Amino acid sequence: MASDDAVNPFDDRSADPFEIARIAAEQIAERTGVEQHDIALTLGSGWGRAADLIGETTASIPATDIYGFSRPSVVGHVGTIRSVLLPSGKRALVIGARTHYYEGFGARRVVHSVRTAAATGAKIMILTNGAGGLKPEWAPGTPVLISDHINLTAVSPLEGATFVDLTDLYAQRLRDIAHTVDPSLDEGVYVQFHGPNYETPAEVRMAGRMGGDIVGMSTAMEAVAARHSGMEVLGMSLITNPAAGISPTPLDHQEVIAAGVAAEAVISDLLARIVAEL
């Protein structure tokens, strides 16, 4: 039942997305030999090296071998699913294949990785991304904890009369642990736009007036799905660039990638130290 770019099991609106996640989790267990994972990480742009630092990788699977997953369309995402043995003896599922909402596959596919992680048994979901910063003091390469979000896609991954409290969506407990590892970590409110175009300066000003500090094109839907699935969520953004209108120069995706590469060693080490405390 492997998936590829031409196959989207979520095209069938009668299909149960949680059943699809269950099948994917069973395939991961079979391919990795690990019945249950404890922590899951989605590694966005700039965060990829953390998978090598958190523990021993005992299995690595092409994402396209697992039901409902496809190869990532964004440069900087590795396209694998890894099972990592942590020094604590816990198991981490590292997801290097993220589907963005702007790819047009729908919210179910966007949050499939999170629901699959929950189906493997994970109780903590770590979501990372590369994003634009609204605070001038956040230079490219600055890691920021996500304290809350504003979802400007106007789309929820939840369907029907599904009511979930999001008061502590980005768990204070996990942020407190992160602060013990690095007391200098700043926090901010993440604003998810639809993408794939970067935000206009006017949209960035709007986000700031609404209470936003970080702008990007992922994470919010995944966080909601993770919370609905019973997981605690830790969100972290790598500030790869000042947002439009704050930056004195036009935004360039290659420069965003370069900023992520430059910061990768430092932020991956930080994330590994945080995971060690969970």
Side-chain angles (χ1 to χ4, degrees), residues 11-33:
D11 284 340
D12 179 0
R13 294 300 299 174
S14 67
D16 181 354
F18 296 96
E19 176 63 14
I20 296 172
R22 185 192 65 78
I23 294 170
E26 287 183 349
Q27 291 180 338
I28 290 172
E30 181 180 351
R31 293 290 301 275
T32 63

Side-chain angles (χ1 to χ4, degrees), residues 134 150 152 191-193 199-213 215 244:
L134 273 67
I150 300 170
L152 292 185
V191 182
Q192 180 175 350
F193 284 83
E199 305 77 22
T200 68
E203 289 170 336
V204 169
R205 291 195 300 272
M206 176 190 71
R209 288 169 183 163
M210 294 173 70
D213 304 296
V215 292

Side-chain angles (χ1 to χ4, degrees), residues 200-249:
T200 68
E203 289 170 336
V204 169
R205 291 195 300 272
M206 176 190 71
R209 288 169 183 163
M210 294 173 70
D213 304 296
I214 311 161
V215 292
M217 306 173 195
S218 67
T219 304
M221 292 184 193
E222 294 158 293
V224 172
R227 190 70 191 90
H228 175 241
S229 297
M231 291 190 282
E232 285 186 290
V233 179
L234 177 67
M236 297 187 73
S237 291
L238 167 66
I239 303 303
T240 56
N241 57 278
I246 295 173
S247 171
T249 58

Side-chain angles (χ1 to χ4, degrees), residues 1-3 24-25 27-28 31 61-69 81 116:
M1 289 187 178
S3 178
Q27 291 180 338
I28 290 172
R31 293 290 301 275
I61 312 164
T64 50
D65 287 358
I66 304 300
Y67 194 46
F69 285 85
I81 297 172
T116 297

Side-chain angles (χ1 to χ4, degrees), residues 33-56:
V34 178
E35 291 187 7
Q36 179 174 323
H37 288 83
D38 305 290
I39 299 170
L41 303 90
T42 294
L43 298 181
S45 299
W47 297 91
R49 282 186 62 183
D52 298 321
L53 300 177
I54 61 175
E56 177 190 357

Side-chain angles (χ1 to χ4, degrees), residues 86-107:
L86 304 179
S88 65
K90 293 181 179 179
R91 280 281 178 175
L93 185 71
V94 180
I95 302 165
R98 169 180 261 157
T99 298
H100 294 79
Y101 188 59
Y102 60 70
E103 295 178 56
F105 295 115

Side-chain angles (χ1 to χ4, degrees), residues 168-187:
D168 191 34
L169 175 56
Y170 298 92
Q172 184 67 58
R173 184 184 79 86
L174 300 183
R175 284 185 280 139
D176 288 344
I177 291 173
H179 281 300
T180 66
V181 174
D182 184 353
S184 70
L185 275 171
D186 208 348
E187 297 192 0

